Amino acid sequence: MPDYNTHRVFNYLTFLVISVLLFKLQVVITDMKLFLALGVGFYIGTDFITPDLDIESKAIKRWGRLKVIWLPYKWLFKHGQSSHNILYGAVVRIMYFSIIILGLYYLLFRSLPPETMISSVYVFIFLIGIITANALHIILDVLF
């Protein structure tokens, strides 16, 4: 299986190639905020919320002291099985982490006015970025 840096290089080169192709095909991204949401989701999916969070990997070490939040995930999922399912694995990791994030988000931002909330379109595009990065990780594992 490819190592952590191989996954990162593969993911970022693929993202760059797709971005250039879209530009060359004159597929206009009218909202740079959407592209930024996709890019940030892709970054998070490549470097932080990867299929390798169920082992002692560089990805889990990137979390520093916060890696403790992934312990229950590591106990529940065995490496290479459901965590490496191209769609199911990413969805489970997103749901797992979303419970934590939504709890913090609620506690921190519940007093803000509704217009300061993030649009669901940006959240959806952000999640597409995570899922795409995870799918590329799994594809590379299957190829090598």
Side-chain angles (χ1 to χ4, degrees), residues 79-91:
H79 186 67
Q81 295 174 357
S82 58
S83 66
H84 275 67
N85 181 291
I86 204 158
L87 184 61
Y88 170 77
V91 170

Side-chain angles (χ1 to χ4, degrees), residues 4 7-8 11-12 41-63 70 73-74 77 79 82-85 89-94 97 130-131 133-138 141:
Y4 179 69
H7 281 294
R8 291 180 74 219
N11 275 18
Y12 290 130
F42 195 86
Y43 168 71
I44 298 293
T46 297
D47 283 333
F48 291 98
I49 303 180
T50 77
D52 292 339
L53 289 173
D54 53 5
I55 59 172
E56 270 307 306
S57 62
K58 287 186 181 178
I60 196 117
K61 290 175 184 171
R62 289 183 75 99
W63 284 87
W70 291 102
Y73 178 82
K74 285 174 68 171
F77 298 98
H79 186 67
S82 58
S83 66
H84 275 67
N85 181 291
V91 170
V92 168
R93 279 185 297 284
I94 289 168
F97 193 63
I130 292 175
I131 291 169
N134 279 245
L136 288 172
H137 178 110
I138 294 164
D141 279 350

Side-chain angles (χ1 to χ4, degrees), residues 8-142:
R8 291 180 74 219
V9 168
F10 176 74
N11 275 18
Y12 290 130
L13 284 176
T14 303
F15 188 77
L16 181 64
V17 166
I18 290 171
S19 297
V20 168
L21 283 174
L22 290 175
F23 179 77
K24 290 287 187 183
L25 293 172
Q26 297 180 348
V27 175
V28 179
I29 299 172
T30 57
D31 188 350
M32 285 308 288
K33 291 179 190 175
L34 288 175
F35 186 72
L36 181 62
L38 179 68
V40 170
F42 195 86
Y43 168 71
I44 298 293
T46 297
D47 283 333
F48 291 98
I49 303 180
T50 77
D52 292 339
L53 289 173
D54 53 5
I55 59 172
E56 270 307 306
S57 62
K58 287 186 181 178
I60 196 117
K61 290 175 184 171
R62 289 183 75 99
W63 284 87
R65 292 183 182 167
L66 291 176
K67 73 179 182 179
V68 70
I69 65 175
W70 291 102
L71 284 177
Y73 178 82
K74 285 174 68 171
W75 296 331
L76 290 172
F77 298 98
K78 300 297 177 215
H79 186 67
Q81 295 174 357
S82 58
S83 66
H84 275 67
N85 181 291
I86 204 158
L87 184 61
Y88 170 77
V91 170
V92 168
R93 279 185 297 284
I94 289 168
M95 288 174 43
Y96 177 85
F97 193 63
S98 292
I99 292 168
I100 296 164
I101 292 297
L102 290 174
L104 290 173
Y105 186 80
Y106 176 76
L107 291 173
L108 294 174
F109 298 108
R110 66 180 177 202
S111 61
L112 294 176
E115 59 271 4
T116 60
M117 297 299 162
I118 299 170
S119 168
S120 59
V121 172
Y122 296 109
V123 173
F124 179 74
I125 297 298
F126 173 78
L127 295 175
I128 293 292
I130 292 175
I131 291 169
T132 303
N134 279 245
L136 288 172
H137 178 110
I138 294 164
I139 288 168
L140 191 60
D141 279 350
V142 169

